[in-house]
Each structure stands twice: as C-alpha cells, then as structure tokens.
Amino acid sequence: MPATPEDLFAAFDRLGIAHTTHPHRPVFTVEESADLKAALPGGHSKNLFLKDKKGRLFLLSALGDSVIDLNAVSKAIGAGRFSFGSPERLMENLGVTPGSVTLFALINDPERKVTLLLDEGFFAHDPVNFHPLRNDATTAISPADMLKFIRALGREPIRLSFDAAGVPSLIEPGAASAHLESRPASKDDA
C-alpha cells in the first residue's frame, strides 16, 4: 500500500523535519494553482514523471515557474528521449495519481526505481512547497529539510540549474548549494 499523507508527516516527525500543510481545493496543473501559490510563501513546485526510451524512470521536480527543455535535460544526464510516464506506471512506482505527482512520493519507491532530477532553484526559497501525496493540500518544508528527506530515503538527486531558456547545467554531486549555505532575505520570506 502506498504511504498516506499521515505516513509522510510521521516520517517528517521522525526525521525532525518541521512541516506546515495548507488544505485547499484539488488542483491538477501549475496554472490551476496560481491563486493558491500567491497566498503561500516560498518556492512552489511542478513535478514531472518521465520515462526515457530505454525504460528508465525519472521524477523531475522543479520550481513551478521554471522553463524546462526536456530534450536538453535528457541529453545533459545521458538519458534517452523523454516521454511522460503512464498513470499506471506512476501509481505502480510512486503510489500517486496524475495531478498529485510530488517529490514526497519518493517515499513510495524504496527500491529506488525512479531517479530524482532536482531543480537547484529550490535552494533560493524558504520554504519549498509540494503536494503531500494528494493534490488537495500543499506542504511546506525548508530546502535543507527537503535534502534531509531525500537523503533519508537513501538517495542523492541529480541537481540541475536551469537557464532562462530551460537548458540545464549539471551541479556536481555532493556540491553545497550557495543558496543553502547563506542566502539574503528575499521577498518570499515576508
């Protein structure tokens, strides 16, 4: 059985991850959630469940307003051409339905069949916001706790920095984020 939001929150509590959840109407796209995002501080996410032509699975988690060139992403990481994973494959591998795709769904992939591609832009925001396994709420955590959660699952993400055209640059594995170490206050902190 896939984890529930309550299972996710219990995992956060065990890890000492502070979290705040805001219930709202179900939303299925970034566009549908624009008014909700405007009312919640921090960086908001869009999450894409992808399959390459070699059959490998990926979860691309990026800032909601990031432009993403999927062809450039596949080339940057040495993957085959991307297509979107089917709803059945999504449920089988991440335990969520379309519209509820979230970085937090990695809790449902203990065999690590899905590779996480993570937008470095998250580290410029505090908090960062994701659906808690359902699309009728948004859960906020710090970017440091986001990494803590990912690493507690035995994962190290492939970190990407996107330019204005959506072309990614790879961040060296294990490199500290300049944003995470010390960042000035931003309008999102208000």
Side-chain angles (χ1 to χ4, degrees), residues 49 84-99 101:
F49 180 61
F84 290 99
S86 69
E88 296 79 20
R89 190 169 295 202
L90 174 62
M91 179 55 77
E92 176 184 326
N93 290 280
L94 291 177
V96 293
T97 58
V101 181

Side-chain angles (χ1 to χ4, degrees), residues 24-25 27-38 45 131:
H24 52 68
R25 72 181 185 279
V27 291
F28 294 88
T29 66
V30 171
E31 293 77 24
E32 283 181 24
S33 62
D35 63 319
L36 299 172
K37 289 178 181 183
S45 64
H131 287 312

Side-chain angles (χ1 to χ4, degrees), residues 18-187:
H19 54 97
T20 304
T21 298
H22 306 276
H24 52 68
R25 72 181 185 279
V27 291
F28 294 88
T29 66
V30 171
E31 293 77 24
E32 283 181 24
S33 62
D35 63 319
L36 299 172
K37 289 178 181 183
L40 298 173
H44 295 272
S45 64
K46 64 180 165 189
N47 299 274
L48 306 175
F49 180 61
L50 305 167
K51 178 179 92 53
D52 76 0
K53 67 180 182 178
K54 300 172 187 174
R56 295 179 299 182
L57 302 174
F58 299 87
L59 174 61
L60 173 58
S61 188
L63 285 173
D65 58 0
S66 292
V67 174
I68 299 181
D69 180 334
L70 288 177
N71 288 331
V73 172
S74 67
K75 288 176 185 166
I77 65 168
R81 186 174 178 87
F82 286 136
S83 61
F84 290 99
S86 69
E88 296 79 20
R89 190 169 295 202
L90 174 62
M91 179 55 77
E92 176 184 326
N93 290 280
L94 291 177
V96 293
T97 58
S100 298
V101 181
T102 173
L103 179 145
F104 297 151
L106 294 171
I107 196 171
N108 291 319
D109 181 27
E111 295 175 15
R112 297 188 289 278
K113 294 178 181 176
V114 180
T115 299
L116 175 60
L117 308 175
L118 186 65
D119 184 351
E120 189 72 2
F122 282 121
F123 297 104
H125 299 274
D126 193 0
V128 290
N129 297 281
F130 301 90
H131 287 312
L133 308 176
R134 295 181 4 192
N135 66 352
D136 61 355
T138 296
T139 297
I141 62 174
S142 75
D145 282 340
M146 173 185 65
L147 266 184
K148 184 180 195 178
F149 171 74
I150 293 165
R151 290 177 173 154
L153 297 173
R155 297 170 175 272
E156 192 60 40
I158 296 173
R159 291 168 35 203
L160 303 169
S161 179
F162 292 95
D163 68 15
V167 176
S169 298
L170 281 170
I171 305 296
E172 288 299 315
S177 171
H179 298 293
L180 194 57
E181 302 307 312
S182 166
R183 77 177 172 82
S186 72
K187 65 181 181 180

